[in-house]
Amino acid sequence: QVQLVDSGGGVVQPGRSLRLSCAASGFTFSTYALHWVRQAPGKGLEWVAVISYDGNNKYYADSVRGRFTISRDNSKNTVDLQMNSLIPEDTAVYYCTRTNGNYRGFFDYWGQGTLVTVSS
Amino acid sequence: EIVMTQSPATLSVSPGERATLSCRASRSVSSNLAWYQQKPGQAPRLLIYGASTGATGIPARFSGSGSGTEFTLTISSLQSEDFAVYYCQQYNDWPQTFGGGTKVEIK
């Protein structure tokens, strides 16, 4: 069965960095675009970043562009989110999710989420 | 970017009753709209895509309708496990955007 397992969250001071990871199984990883979507405490869902099936194309939300970098390893079935220059507004649960092929689409499977707290 | 507006913010419904949730797009998204259910402490779960197609394993009491800018999610007879927050998402334009959610609570 399809599984996405998110990890790497924690408490970090403003200005510091954190790296999230998502391990995938149960599907042909190299044919899916992979996304990160976040949810601030008590708030709604916000799309953060996407990487194409082959890793050649990456797009970011305006709120994180220049600070976050998404990457993938199709040999290990993993996708990472490197988060630099973190600010308190980045505090959220981060979910890994996928779309079939295209960057735009509906998200049919989600990871369980990993909590990032940016606080001094 | 396209702004998605959901109403009402909270819907109080008795078990067994029908629930109707609305989602409006700031401009047309054709039928490129999905609905998700989220329970506390859990990830969102896909319910509907293409505005009206049920995702795998979703009970028939969940149905979606609409196109363009106006969409509806209907739960025909609410079960105890349906009390949750529901989000719509458009994927017609970049970036894909979510509505603010409707919380369905027990009346």
Side-chain angles (χ1 to χ4, degrees):
Chain A
Q1 71 282 21
V2 174
Q3 270 201 308
L4 297 167
V5 179
D6 305 321
S7 63
V11 179
V12 60
Q13 293 180 327
R16 303 299 291 267
S17 299
L18 201 63
R19 189 176 185 91
L20 307 183
S21 188
C22 171
S25 60
F27 64 101
T28 306
F29 184 76
S30 59
T31 64
Y32 283 80
L34 272 295
H35 304 249
W36 288 94
V37 173
R38 69 184 181 182
Q39 186 171 36
K43 302 298 185 181
L45 300 165
E46 178 189 18
W47 173 82
V48 172
V50 60
I51 186 166
S52 60
Y53 68 96
D54 58 2
N56 287 337
N57 295 285
K58 307 171 186 181
Y59 300 97
Y60 301 92
D62 289 347
S63 57
V64 307
R65 188 176 296 116
R67 300 187 299 120
F68 289 12
T69 302
I70 191 170
S71 61
R72 68 188 293 162
D73 186 335
N74 283 352
S75 68
K76 297 180 179 178
N77 288 6
T78 58
V79 58
D80 290 351
L81 186 69
Q82 177 66 41
M83 304 185 296
N84 298 332
S85 303
L86 283 161
I87 59 178
E89 291 74 20
D90 295 321
T91 295
V93 175
Y94 286 73
Y95 297 101
C96 170
T97 182
R98 70 175 197 175
T99 50
N100 192 348
N102 202 339
Y103 311 129
R104 285 181 302 178
F106 53 88
F107 304 114
D108 59 353
Y109 285 92
W110 298 64
Q112 85 285 4
T114 187
L115 176 62
V116 173
T117 303
V118 183
S119 174
S120 54
Chain B
E1 69 180 39
I2 293 180
V3 176
M4 306 300 292
T5 303
Q6 292 187 241
S7 61
T10 304
L11 186 61
S12 299
V13 186
S14 299
E17 288 188 342
R18 182 186 190 93
T20 302
L21 289 65
S22 295
C23 175
R24 174 178 292 176
S26 59
R27 60 181 185 269
S28 177
V29 299
S30 186
S31 294
N32 295 313
L33 184 109
W35 289 94
Y36 302 87
Q37 177 193 67
Q38 188 179 35
K39 298 179 181 179
Q42 296 185 17
R45 177 174 73 144
L46 176 68
L47 297 176
I48 302 285
Y49 63 92
S52 61
T53 302
T56 303
I58 300 303
R61 64 181 180 273
F62 291 92
S63 63
S65 63
S67 66
T69 61
E70 300 283 344
F71 300 88
T72 300
L73 175 70
T74 301
I75 312 171
S76 60
S77 176
L78 270 158
Q79 306 298 303
S80 58
E81 62 266 29
D82 300 335
F83 292 97
V85 179
Y86 293 83
Y87 294 96
C88 62
Q89 175 229 346
Q90 68 82 19
Y91 51 94
N92 191 69
D93 270 17
W94 192 259
Q96 41 222 350
T97 47
F98 293 90
T102 291
K103 181 180 181 180
V104 177
E105 64 176 25
I106 300 175
K107 186 174 183 180

